[in-house]
Amino acid sequence: MSAQVPAQQSASSATSADVADLYKEIFTGQQKALEVVSTDRLTQVGARPPISTYLGQLWGRRYFLWAEARAKVTSGTRETLLGQAWLVLNPILNGLAYYLIFGLILNTSRGIENFLGYLVIGVFLFQFTTQCVTNGAKSIQSGRNLIRAFTFPRASLPISVVLRSILNLIPTIAAMLLIIVLLPPAESWSPAALLFPAVLVLQVLLATGLALLFARMTTVLPDIGQLIGVGMRIWLYASAVFFSVDRFKEFPSIVGIMEANPMYMVLDAARDCLLYATVPDAGTWIGLGAWSVGALVLGFLFFWQGEESYGQA
């Protein structure tokens, strides 16, 4: 009996030691692995980040945005027989229709040197702005399911629309230049034509700002999306796409309003560079630069302010 007692005491002490070791492993060991996280390091999902962080997030997704734009441009004409040829045929057919109506039937070509080139530049370039504004305005609503499923800077959606329009514009510009050079009265290039890419850059900035602006406006008031088509049509006529502003020289106030129109500045500068071998005057560059940069900055800030509201019911 006396030999069994020490054995029982030894087993009991061993069990106590094991329990103590287990206790230390569970509680003391876990405490070493725990990390206290400050609430300052936590961020709300979908919250609007600082503007510098937001710009960095957009820049980090630039390759994805470009690849996504290229994929959608290709898929948009995949089911047609002519495929991507429609990227060129659509603006050409539109230009032909406008030429028949305004050039031949309504005879708005009076007083315009090389009316065909004048009209083609106006129709092709204005179509780019129209695509950016109308499709950019729908970008948040059409991407609502994507917004709810993933976290990303929402400005990616209207910017992606602009990138797709730029890719559509490349073959359009090539067709436009061929029409100007090959069809009578054929134009020859001058050093002023080298400034045409600068005009395009300013137009892209203007269109991007408007796409961002209307993308948020349509989320606040969806009815605006129904009015954009009418507004763009009015803007088309107010930009002297089919006629010269000289038709209104007896009404200086009307001429002044039209010349202050940023799309009129785009078209006027492009025509000077490509048709009339003339460098656009300083007032055009200053006015168009102010419109383009101002629209981009205001449109971006306005869109960024509503970042947390996108995708909500």
Side-chain angles (χ1 to χ4, degrees), residues 29-50:
Q30 279 192 353
Q31 287 179 355
K32 294 179 181 179
L34 292 177
E35 179 182 358
V36 179
V37 179
S38 173
T39 56
D40 296 336
R41 296 170 56 185
L42 300 178
T43 58
Q44 178 184 352
V45 176
R48 184 183 68 217

Side-chain angles (χ1 to χ4, degrees), residues 45 64 154 161 179 301:
V45 176
F64 171 78
R154 312 315 190 198
V161 167
I179 291 174
L301 291 176

Side-chain angles (χ1 to χ4, degrees), residues 48-63:
R48 184 183 68 217
I51 193 166
S52 58
T53 304
Y54 195 72
L55 289 170
Q57 292 174 350
L58 285 172
W59 180 252
R61 288 164 173 80
R62 62 191 184 278
Y63 298 114

Side-chain angles (χ1 to χ4, degrees), residues 210-274:
L210 293 175
L212 290 165
L213 178 70
F214 283 101
R216 182 183 177 188
M217 289 179 65
T218 52
T219 62
V220 177
L221 186 61
D223 292 344
I224 292 178
Q226 304 298 324
L227 301 175
I228 288 179
V230 177
M232 294 304 298
R233 197 170 298 114
I234 295 173
W235 198 14
L236 175 74
Y237 291 108
S239 300
V241 172
F242 316 113
F243 53 84
S244 172
V245 294
D246 293 337
R247 297 169 65 93
F248 302 99
K249 59 184 179 182
E250 297 179 358
F251 306 95
S253 58
I254 295 179
V255 174
I257 293 173
M258 294 183 68
E259 290 180 344
N261 172 5
M263 273 309 300
Y264 172 82
M265 296 180 187
V266 169
L267 302 183
D268 188 52
R271 288 161 177 160
D272 282 344
C273 294
L274 298 178

Side-chain angles (χ1 to χ4, degrees), residues 128-129 195-209 262-263 265-266 269 284-293 295-296:
F128 168 75
T129 300
L195 295 174
F196 177 63
V199 177
L200 286 181
V201 170
L202 292 176
Q203 184 185 6
V204 169
L205 297 181
L206 174 67
T208 304
M263 273 309 300
M265 296 180 187
V266 169
T284 299
W285 290 114
I286 294 173
L288 181 56
W291 271 110
S292 300
V293 176
L296 179 62

